[in-house]
Amino acid sequence: GEMWELDTASFSDVTIGLGRLLTLLHRCSEMPYQENEVRGDSPSGLFVTPAGEAHSFGIHMVDELFRRSGWRTLCEPNSQIHDVLALVSRESFHLLGIGLTTQTQVSFAKELIRQVRIASCNPHILVLVGGSLIIAHPEEALSMGADFTASDGRQAIAIAETVLYEHAHSH
């Protein structure tokens, strides 16, 4: 990312580099691991980016971190609002994670969050927003209607699991 911004890496360099990173991520996700085993009662997360978003590596990485922490996950980059609504109305997800990279995606996120809160079969669905836009402007998260943001995937898991644990033990 920095090499792209400093103009020391060309578009092809970045494309090839990201392709290699995605290949590595997929290879890692196929490897057996000893962390928390995913069970039917494990928390579940749906991770999306807006339609037209060219950058999906970050959301795939966060999805993989949650999966390795014992979550059942579904990663759907490049999603339309109606696609996400169809998923959350059919399956009860504990968490919706939205990756955002540009200011132009804020209205998408606000509308998606508003509609998900109505359509979700889980009335207590947690909404996480992240990505380069949110890292640069974390205050945007709450104005969109999200429950929280995090600076990286591990922090997101810790916050989500804390909130879910507190919610489960407050009823």
Side-chain angles (χ1 to χ4, degrees), residues 40-75:
D41 63 348
S42 295
S44 58
L46 171 62
F47 299 93
V48 303
T49 59
E53 173 56 67
H55 303 95
S56 63
F57 182 73
I59 204 78
H60 281 292
M61 207 160 60
V62 170
D63 173 76
E64 178 66 12
L65 285 170
F66 271 84
R67 201 170 64 74
R68 284 185 172 257
S69 289
W71 287 60
R72 289 178 294 117
T73 66
L74 178 60
C75 189

Side-chain angles (χ1 to χ4, degrees), residues 2 10 16 18 23 26 33 38 45 74-75 82 90 92 94-96 98 103 106 117 121-122 132 137 160 162 168:
E2 287 177 23
S10 69
I16 291 167
L18 276 172
T23 301
H26 288 303
Y33 51 91
V38 176
L74 178 60
C75 189
H82 62 85
R90 267 199 323 266
S92 182
H94 293 94
L95 175 75
L96 169 64
I98 308 169
Q103 193 66 39
V106 170
R117 298 222 187 267
C121 42
N122 174 5
S132 56
H137 305 282
T162 300

Side-chain angles (χ1 to χ4, degrees), residues 132-147:
S132 56
L133 171 71
I134 302 302
I135 289 169
H137 305 282
E139 70 284 355
E140 291 271 12
L142 295 178
S143 71
M144 288 178 208
D147 295 301

